[in-house]
Amino acid sequence: MIVMRTRLLFVAFALATVCFGKDIKIVVLKTQPEMHCANCEKKIKDNIRFEKGVKSIKTDLDSKTVTIEYDADKTTVEKIIEGFK
């Protein structure tokens, strides 16, 4: 019983370390030239999703912004912006 409890505690600790060890950040970028249609959204998502460290991409046509959640240990805002080109 004690061995099983120790193993369970070790697994929980290891999982917590992995979850909290990442430096997850969010950046909101205004598109230039402005994103104006669904095709623009698709192009942006298709290009940015291959950038290493990107976790999620949300686009908003009304405000012409792209919200990107990324792992700062794997990429930078500059690299993400470069992905727009």
Side-chain angles (χ1 to χ4, degrees):
M1 183 75 167
I2 292 175
V3 173
M4 187 172 198
R5 188 176 294 161
T6 304
R7 285 184 186 167
L8 182 60
L9 184 60
F10 177 77
V11 170
F13 179 76
L15 184 60
T17 302
V18 170
C19 291
F20 294 115
K22 294 186 178 189
D23 186 14
I24 304 298
K25 295 187 178 184
I26 296 174
V27 63
V28 179
L29 302 168
K30 193 117 172 120
T31 59
Q32 190 64 24
E34 291 186 344
M35 172 177 57
H36 62 276
C37 66
N39 192 36
C40 294
E41 280 183 302
K42 183 179 179 332
K43 283 182 182 179
I44 288 170
K45 287 180 178 179
D46 286 348
N47 288 343
I48 300 299
R49 71 184 172 122
F50 290 110
E51 179 63 44
K52 187 176 183 178
V54 171
K55 302 297 180 191
S56 70
I57 307 163
K58 294 178 184 157
T59 54
D60 185 356
L61 274 174
D62 294 332
S63 66
K64 311 236 185 300
T65 59
V66 180
T67 304
I68 301 171
E69 182 180 6
Y70 67 99
D71 184 345
D73 293 332
K74 295 183 179 180
T75 192
T76 63
V77 173
E78 291 78 19
K79 288 180 183 177
I80 291 171
I81 291 171
E82 195 65 30
F84 278 88
K85 297 178 182 180

